[in-house]
Structures are given as C-alpha cells and as structure tokens.
Amino acid sequence: MKAVVFDGEKLSLKYDEKYPMPKILNDEDVIVKVEYSGVCGTDLHIIQGEFPARKDRPLPLGHEFSGIVHEVGNKSIFKKGQKVVVDPNRACNLCNFCRGGNYQYCLRAGINSTIGIWNDGGWAQYVRCPQDQVYALPDGITTEQAGLCEPYSCVAHGFDRAAPIPVGSKILIVGAGIIGNLWVTTLHLQGHRDVTVSEMNKTRLDIVKGLETGYRLINPDVLAAEKQLYDVIIDCTGVGKVMEINFNYLCHGGKYVLFGCCPPTHQATVNPYQIYDKELTIIGVKINPFSFPKAIGLLSTSTIRSLVSKHIHSPSIRTR
C-alpha cells in the first residue's frame, strides 16, 4: 500500500510492497481505509526532532484521521463500509491512573501508545486499530468533518479542565491556528461573547473573521500596548516565551490554560508572587481522555468547513 513514512530523520513516500498492508491480528481489530488525515503541529514537532516518537522502525505518522471500515475481526461490533473516526490514544486499563479515569497520565499506554506516533498512523491508505479506539460517525457528519474530531476532542478536554468558565468572562485566545479556531467555535457555542483573539498572522485573523463570531481580533502589539487583564487566557501557540509575556495579563483569580504543546526544550519564567497575590491557576491540557463523544457532538453543531485550509489530493493521504 501507499504510505508517508517517518524513519526518525526524514519522511518518504512508500509504494505498494514497500510498506505492508495491515492485517487483522486480534478478533476485535478494525482495519480502516483512510479518507482524510490531518497534519498536526505535533507531527511537525516530531519531524523536527522536538517531540518523542517511535524510532526503532519506520512508520506512517498521522493521529488525526477518519475513513471507512475495510475489514473487521470476528468479534468486532463494526461492519464493513461504516464511516468511522479513530481516537489515537487509549488506556492500559491496569495502572492506577487508568483505573481512576485519567489515562492521559498512563505511562504504559496513553500518549505512549498513540496511533500515528508509536503505532502506524493515518498517513497511509489503511490502518489497523483496536475497536475500542474506533467511533462510528452519525449520518450528519462526513469523514471530511471528522478529520477534525481528534483536535476537537482535545479542546473538549481542555474546556472541561478550565471549567467553570462563567458566561460573561473576559477571555483571551492567543494564537489563531486551527486549535485556536476550534477554541473560538467551542466558546461561541457555549455562549461566550467577550472574547479577544491575538494573532500576528493577518491571514489567520481573516479566517477567524470568516467564522462571524463577532470576537475582537488583534495582533500581539495591540495586546502589549493595551495591557488589559483577562479572566481566562487560552494559550494555543506552543511557545514558552508567549506564556512568559501573556501570563502578566491575567486578572485576580484568573486561569491560564496552557493548551499548545511546547517542545520539551522551551522554558518560561513566571512570578510566584503573582500566583500567590492574584490566586492564579495554571492549567495544563494533555490529549483527550474520554472526550471523543463530546467532539462528535461539537462537530454536529459547529460550522467548521471554513477551517479546512487545504486538501492534499494524494492517494497516500486521501484515498477516496
């Protein structure tokens, strides 16, 4: 089959017999024919050597993907031809973290067994997945829309981590890439209107404007000049220095949601006295435990077509 494969140093396109077609190994396995697979910022960090991933053998990256059931094991609940989306993360179900409902902390599975990072992912025509990581799509959601299900599930988890966020809160979103825009749609659906989006790239701000939320759109220079304070800051940049600057814009009792995934080498300095004096809260967000059903719900109520920046019509990425 065709696959875009990462060998720990570079990407290469493999054809036919050069990368093997996956086979059913367990009775509950599902082989998904990939229709859409996203390119995540984490994928770029992996390629740049900034994020841990499997290196003992080449494998296709891609942990955001959807498609059609191609083949199933004897005990699978899925049927050939079903539209599905895949949660790349899972629990080991044995450690205290997993049994406590927090498999994002799992040291055996969790992010350490992610499809597309540690196991073969969606930058291929076909992927073998355990059925407990596969979700059937409702009739109203296309496989194209479902390509955003994994990042939406992370946003849903982040929203839960930051809750409660009372309607009327003054909110700042820093960074208007795809994740920032998914936060925009989520907050708007939840009734939030006093939201500012800070982004240095005008093209990205134009995309946010096209969502017609009425949110205030500015660049970081305006943010620095105003020195306004916010109840909640959602950092979607993945840049440590950004946190160092924007942490100063929290009001008393404020929450800083560190959502963007920073490379392990990034550092940021914050003032502990500010945390004490203002009773500030720093919230980390890691992957998407049990939040795929919420993401599917968000997909069914959001206008997200304008957030798809580009289709790559390659049989290695999109196989319709």
Side-chain angles (χ1 to χ4, degrees):
M1 69 171 179
K2 299 178 178 69
V4 177
V5 175
F6 182 63
D7 65 4
E9 295 183 358
K10 63 183 185 302
L11 291 174
S12 58
L13 179 60
K14 301 294 185 182
Y15 288 94
D16 303 327
E17 74 280 354
K18 291 187 178 180
Y19 205 85
M21 176 81 178
K23 298 179 180 179
I24 296 293
L25 299 180
N26 302 300
D27 287 341
E28 296 181 348
D29 281 348
V30 176
I31 293 178
V32 176
K33 182 180 181 183
V34 177
E35 291 202 341
Y36 292 91
S37 187
V39 179
C40 176
T42 301
D43 295 316
L44 302 182
H45 285 313
I46 290 171
I47 295 167
Q48 293 162 355
E50 298 174 334
F51 193 87
R54 187 166 192 165
K55 294 182 179 179
D56 63 324
R57 69 168 177 85
L59 82 164
L61 300 180
H63 58 274
E64 305 172 357
F65 63 95
S66 59
I68 303 295
V69 174
H70 175 73
E71 187 178 354
V72 297
N74 293 330
K75 296 182 179 178
S76 175
I77 64 171
F78 293 93
K79 304 296 182 185
K80 186 174 180 178
Q82 278 187 288
K83 294 185 304 178
V84 294
V85 65
V86 176
D87 181 350
N89 305 301
R90 68 178 314 187
C92 76
N93 293 318
L94 295 173
C95 71
N96 288 338
F97 292 129
C98 289
R99 290 181 172 181
N102 295 304
Y103 71 78
Q104 69 272 31
Y105 309 142
C106 179
L107 300 178
R108 298 186 185 184
I111 201 171
N112 302 301
S113 64
T114 302
I115 294 174
I117 297 180
W118 298 99
N119 294 308
D120 288 19
W123 292 3
Q125 288 181 294
Y126 299 89
V127 185
R128 180 178 64 86
C129 312
Q131 74 167 2
D132 60 3
Q133 292 177 250
V134 180
Y135 289 78
L137 290 172
D139 290 338
I141 297 179
T142 66
T143 52
E144 178 186 13
Q145 292 170 318
L148 290 174
C149 198
E150 192 276 342
Y152 240 146
S153 70
C154 295
V155 170
H157 175 51
F159 187 87
D160 289 345
R161 290 272 291 142
I165 306 176
V167 172
S169 298
K170 193 175 187 64
I171 302 171
L172 171 65
I173 298 173
V174 185
I178 184 60
I179 288 297
N181 290 332
L182 293 181
W183 270 100
V184 164
T185 60
T186 299
L187 291 171
H188 195 264
L189 284 169
Q190 298 291 346
H192 292 281
R193 297 297 179 266
D194 192 356
V195 178
T196 296
V197 181
S198 174
E199 168 59 55
M200 65 176 62
N201 186 318
K202 184 181 181 300
T203 300
R204 287 183 169 185
L205 286 180
D206 288 341
I207 292 173
V208 181
K209 186 177 180 180
L211 295 175
E212 298 182 348
T213 60
Y215 289 172
R216 190 172 73 113
L217 311 179
I218 63 174
N219 63 50
D221 291 337
V222 174
L223 196 66
E226 289 180 339
K227 292 185 171 57
Q228 286 195 40
L229 299 183
Y230 296 86
D231 299 304
V232 180
I233 297 178
I234 302 164
D235 186 342
C236 301
T237 67
V239 179
K241 190 67 177 179
V242 170
M243 178 186 183
E244 189 169 277
I245 295 169
N246 292 330
F247 196 74
N248 296 306
Y249 303 146
L250 281 175
C251 67
H252 284 74
K255 301 175 182 177
Y256 198 97
V257 181
L258 192 59
F259 192 90
C261 182
C262 293
T265 55
H266 281 209
Q267 300 291 327
T269 300
V270 298
N271 188 331
Y273 182 81
Q274 275 189 305
I275 299 173
Y276 149 77
D277 184 52
K278 292 184 175 182
E279 290 195 342
L280 303 178
T281 302
I282 302 174
I283 300 170
V285 182
K286 187 178 184 183
I287 63 172
N288 55 345
F290 306 112
S291 54
F292 248 65
K294 295 176 183 178
I296 291 172
L298 287 168
L299 283 170
S300 68
T301 55
S302 296
T303 303
I304 62 169
R305 184 170 296 276
S306 59
L307 296 183
V308 178
S309 59
K310 185 178 183 180
H311 288 113
I312 301 173
H313 295 283
S314 164
S316 311
I317 305 297
R318 181 175 180 268
T319 58
R320 293 193 70 178

